[in-house]
Amino acid sequence: MSSILKHLWVKFPSEKRRYLLIVFFVFVAIGIVEVVTYLFTLNMDNQWEQISERRTREIVQGVLTAFADVQSETYTFARNVAENPALVKFMEGENPHDAGIFLLLEQLNRGEEYSSELYDLHLSLLAWAGKQAEVDSSDVRRALSNKASSVVSQSALYTFLTVLTPVRYAGGKTLGVVAVSRPVEVNYPLNNRFLTSSGIQKELSRRFGTDIHFQFGEDAEPSRDGRVVSSEIRSLDGRKLGVVHVERPVRSSSALSYLNLSSSIVGTLGALIPIIILAGFWYDLRRLAPLPQIFLFLIAVWFTRYLWLALDFPSIMFRDGI
C-alpha cells in the first residue's frame, strides 16, 4: 500500500503535490472537528447536571444585569432632564404652567425612546412629552421626599419602566419631580404597521436561548416548577418590582448549538475540497481540446453543485439569516 502511495506521489509534479497536501489537511481538519464534537457531546451528557446549573446561574445573572442596565440608562436620561438649567428655571418661575415647558420637554425627548412627565410639589402634572405611563401619585410623593426611584406600570398596550427623580434648585431645594418612562414590553399579541410585538422579554429570550418571563408587581411569586428558576427584580431604591422566571436550558437544545457549529465548520471545509482540486488541475484542464475541456469542466461544476447541496452550503453558515 505504501509503495502505491509513494508511486502516485512521485508521479505528481511538486505544484500538484501542494494542492493534494492542502486537500489532505482539510480532511484531517474535518476529522479533528468530528472527534472534538463527539468528545464534547459525550462530556456534556456525563456532566449535564453541573453544566445546566452553572449555565442557569449565568443566564439569571445576565438577565438581572440587563434589566439593571435598562434602569441605569433610564435614570441617566431622567437625571439629565431634571438637571437641565432651562427646566429648573421654569420650575423656579412664578408661572411653571407656561406652555413653553411642553416645547422644552419635547426638545429634550427628541430622538429618544423615552417619555417624560413633570410634576410640581402639589403632585400636579405640569407637562408631558411622549406616551403617558400613568404614574401613581404615591410614587411621585415618594420621589419628592427621597432620592430617585423606579416603578413598573402597565397600560393597555405597553408595560413601562418609569424612573422618578427630583428636580432641585442649586441650593438643594426640591421643586418637583421628573418621571421618565420607557416601554419595556408590548402587551399587544400581534404585529401591525404601528406596533411590533417585541420587548425586553423577547430580546433576552433570544439572546440567552431559553424562555424568559417577567412578572411585575410586589405580589409576584417565584415559580414552583422545577424546570424554572426565579429571581426578584429590584428598583433603584431597593423595592421589589417583580420576579423574572428563567427556564433551565434543555440538554438537546444546548447540544444542538454546538452540533450546528460543528456541522457549519465541516460543511465549509468540505465545500472547499472541489475548489482546491479544480485549482490544482486547472492548468492541465486548459491544455485539453475544447470539447473534453468543456465536458470535464461541466462534470466538476455539477459535482461541486451536488456536493454543496449535500453539505447544505452556503446556507449552513447563515442559520440565523443574513
Side-chain angles (χ1 to χ4, degrees):
M1 184 68 179
S2 59
S3 61
I4 296 175
L5 291 175
K6 185 177 180 180
H7 176 73
L8 290 173
W9 182 256
V10 172
K11 188 177 180 180
F12 286 109
S14 59
E15 184 178 345
K16 291 186 177 57
R17 291 181 197 171
R18 189 161 54 246
Y19 286 100
L20 291 174
L21 269 176
I22 294 174
V23 171
F24 171 75
F25 284 120
V26 168
F27 276 111
V28 171
I30 290 174
I32 291 173
V33 171
E34 293 289 356
V35 171
V36 170
T37 302
Y38 170 76
L39 294 176
F40 184 84
T41 53
L42 184 63
N43 178 69
M44 178 177 285
D45 290 340
N46 293 336
Q47 301 185 29
W48 175 245
E49 292 299 327
Q50 298 92 317
I51 293 173
S52 175
E53 190 65 31
R54 183 174 66 250
R55 179 57 181 157
T56 302
R57 286 198 303 269
E58 291 173 356
I59 294 174
V60 170
Q61 186 58 48
V63 170
L64 294 177
T65 300
F67 191 83
D69 289 343
V70 172
Q71 286 200 93
S72 177
E73 292 168 6
T74 308
Y75 169 67
T76 299
F77 181 79
R79 188 182 61 190
N80 291 338
V81 173
E83 295 175 356
N84 182 271
L87 185 135
V88 174
K89 187 175 180 180
F90 264 113
M91 298 295 291
E92 287 179 318
E94 295 181 0
N95 183 21
H97 296 271
D98 191 318
I101 202 166
F102 282 90
L103 297 177
L104 176 60
L105 282 182
E106 287 287 352
Q107 182 181 359
L108 293 174
N109 272 30
R110 190 171 300 156
E112 302 289 346
E113 59 180 326
Y114 304 106
S115 304
S116 299
E117 299 174 27
L118 183 62
Y119 295 86
D120 64 12
L121 293 173
H122 306 291
L123 312 183
S124 299
L125 179 62
L126 298 178
W128 64 88
K131 311 177 189 73
Q132 284 189 270
E134 302 177 5
V135 180
D136 192 89
S137 59
S138 61
D139 296 321
V140 179
R141 187 179 296 107
R142 185 186 305 112
L144 282 172
S145 57
N146 297 306
K147 56 184 181 180
S149 62
S150 57
V151 296
V152 174
S153 59
Q154 293 184 336
S155 67
L157 295 178
Y158 297 97
T159 297
F160 290 98
L161 169 68
T162 302
V163 171
L164 301 99
T165 185
V167 180
R168 290 193 173 97
Y169 179 62
K173 177 185 175 182
T174 301
L175 303 171
V177 169
V178 167
V180 172
S181 302
R182 174 179 184 167
V184 292
E185 206 65 49
V186 178
N187 301 328
Y188 193 71
L190 302 175
N191 294 338
N192 58 38
R193 60 181 296 188
F194 303 108
L195 292 172
T196 301
S197 181
S198 182
I200 189 172
Q201 193 168 266
K202 189 173 182 179
E203 178 187 333
L204 293 177
S205 295
R206 184 169 53 245
R207 183 194 303 180
F208 293 107
T210 189
D211 287 338
I212 295 170
H213 174 66
F214 285 91
Q215 183 181 0
F216 295 108
E218 294 183 356
D219 58 345
E221 296 292 335
S223 174
R224 297 180 181 179
D225 189 340
R227 297 169 299 178
V228 175
V229 175
S230 303
S231 183
E232 287 190 356
I233 308 166
R234 293 286 173 178
S235 66
L236 291 174
D237 52 340
R239 292 176 300 105
K240 179 181 177 181
L241 290 179
V243 174
V244 61
H245 307 288
V246 176
E247 187 173 315
R248 294 180 184 273
V250 181
R251 175 164 39 190
S252 57
S253 63
S254 299
L256 183 62
S257 61
Y258 294 105
L259 290 175
N260 286 340
L261 176 62
S262 171
S263 60
S264 297
I265 297 173
V266 170
T268 303
L269 291 173
L272 293 175
I273 292 175
I275 298 176
I276 298 170
I277 294 175
L278 184 62
F281 289 88
W282 180 251
Y283 180 74
D284 294 325
L285 185 64
R286 293 184 60 185
R287 293 174 60 186
L288 297 175
L291 189 61
Q293 183 180 124
I294 294 172
F295 178 72
L296 290 175
F297 182 75
L298 288 176
I299 290 177
V301 169
W302 279 96
F303 172 78
T304 303
R305 177 178 182 272
Y306 283 108
L307 177 63
W308 283 18
L309 285 174
L311 295 173
D312 195 24
F313 183 86
S315 61
I316 197 172
M317 300 173 62
F318 309 102
R319 295 183 183 274
D320 297 327
I322 300 177

